[in-house]
Amino acid sequence: MKVGVCIKSTPDADTRLKVAAGATGIETAGIKWVISDYEKGALEVGVSLKEKLGGECVLYSVGSGDTEKNLRDGLALGGDRAVMVDDAATKGTDALGIAKALAAAIKLDGLDIVLCGRQATDDENSQVPAMVAELLGWPHISFVGAFAIDGTDFVASRNMGGATEKVRGALPVVVTTEDTIATPRYVKLPEIMKAKSKKLEKKNLAALGLSAEAIAPAATFSAYSPPPSRPAGRKLAGDAAAQAKELVRLLREEAKVI
Amino acid sequence: MSSLFDRYFDDSHRTLRTEVARFVAAEIAPYADRWEEDASFDVGLYRKAGAAGVLGPTFPTALGGGGGDVFHGIVAAEELLKGGSTGTVAGLGSLEIALPPILALGDDAQKQRFVPPVLRGEQIAALAITEPGTGSDVAGVRTRAARDGDSYVITGSKTFITSGVRADLVITLARTSEDPHGGLTFFVVERGMPGFTVSKALKKTGWWASDTAELSFDGVRVPLANRIGPEGSGFIALMQNFENERLMLAIQGHALAERALELARAYANEREAFGRKISKFQVIRHKLADMATRTASAKALTYAVAAEMKRGGSVVAEVAMAKNHAAEVAEFVCREAVQVYGGMGYMREAPVERLARDARLLAIGGGTTEIMREIISKTMG
């Protein structure tokens, strides 16, 4: 079984994002880039499938800089090798551009399963995995909370907001996972050290048979602006009874929530 | 500010830090207050920590350790201490001082027998040096091990032994001849050996969650296979062991100070007096600035010493300096944090109250401040 896991490097959840000067993006200085939360579960599933069924678990990512560190972290968790699409032209592309790069890299490896998080924790657009599936000509199963292989089929459970939908089908398949699908194992130091010498291939667009024009974005971001700052809270005065009375009045008449 | 110390760490350290932090957030932080008040942490934590690879980051991988360098050890210790229970870290960490004599002096069979189960968290190891009549003056150890055929008979008592109550393996320093230094030998005393008893669990100023014991050896028969190294080899191994122990205590110093500083800053930004946040008062801001400066100085010295240890240099005096400085800084910063908290800082529910108690140990454990000064001054001629 050859399993691929797509990983996106996103700002750490504790990051306080700021709009960069010129409003053309976010200020990236000082940001700690980590594996997107939703993809940590996908990674655990991918590694577990490989351990159970044999074969290979390959990690894919598009980016530079910290992307390599995050791929190494994925290798420490149990990935066998990694492919990093490292090309300046990918900066500023859109979801379809990223999907084209990933699909081209995946095609070269002949995988059975591609796992992705249901969305990235930064832009949360949920577009790339479906596009990868389309470009590969594979089915795409989204919002998967449980995933298993049964013979030559896959069996996936989709969370449908209170109900569960079971899907069975033939491989290959692209799957997007919920973050609850699996708890990532703790990575031990010997695995971290071993990951340093695992194969991590950097490929530019030309190596994938793509060009900068092929992944040019259909639309570009024109401006970023921070959300409006929250107004200061209001302090109520008086004794407890007076405060409670005023609070109820405000909730009813101003906030209109009761 | 953190970039000042980045040079000591590579990606492997950063990844380990993230992983230990995950473990601490899930398995220690939610229970830290209860464990400290109960004066005992969940014994199941050893296995969980072993399974997560948190125990023994610097021990050889062939024995189940992490195979890392001294900075991997630092990263793990710093993150564990952020969990809020110094006592728990002391208990989990007793293996860090108990196992090195086996690594230094033991044969392969002893290493394979004793080390991996401890690093898996299946067994608990403690180091027993101090006695009711002997502390820093190790040459005064009176617990005796008398050879009797293919075994030794150990008689005596030990006190202030971290993890002593729950230990499965007590790495015990005993006297095999009258030579003050050359007559000391390590033995592994195992739980359940006839004559070996835990006399009592001791109550302490700080480190409440760690168990601290008084141990009794009443004619405990220990097989030759449990003697670590040749007779008389204990003192040198113990001296080497002290370097690691003192470094770990120095790390604990800046880690406690950092936590106290962080808590004090947060509290100062919340607490109001005279109509404004107390962080707006210059007296508090300057206090926090002093706390930050001293904490950084302790960390800088300790990291510099650790880097020299990693390089293989001799740091006997330098590690003593680092421990003394970090102990002073920790006591100062934790005391000041209590001061920022005011009346609340004197309450048991305030985390800084616990830190101030915990910090007091640092000037005593692993050799007192005064002994450290002796070591430093001897190198000055």
Side-chain angles (χ1 to χ4, degrees), chain A residues 69 73 184-189, chain B residues 11 15 19 22-23 51-52 57:
Chain A
K69 190 244 176 214
D73 284 354
R185 67 195 65 185
Y186 291 109
V187 178
K188 297 181 181 183
L189 184 52
Chain B
D11 282 345
T15 301
E19 291 300 305
R22 268 181 70 208
F23 178 80

Side-chain angles (χ1 to χ4, degrees), chain B residues 33 36-37 84 208 259-260 263-264 267 334 337-358:
Chain B
D33 290 349
E36 283 289 324
E37 285 299 317
W208 285 359
R259 190 168 152 73
L263 289 163
Y267 190 80
C334 293
V338 169
Q339 208 64 21
V340 171
Y341 267 60
M344 192 62 208
Y346 199 59
M347 297 298 114
R348 280 261 289 280
E349 63 190 276
V352 291
E353 180 268 349
R354 183 188 305 155
L355 289 172
R357 284 189 284 102
D358 290 339

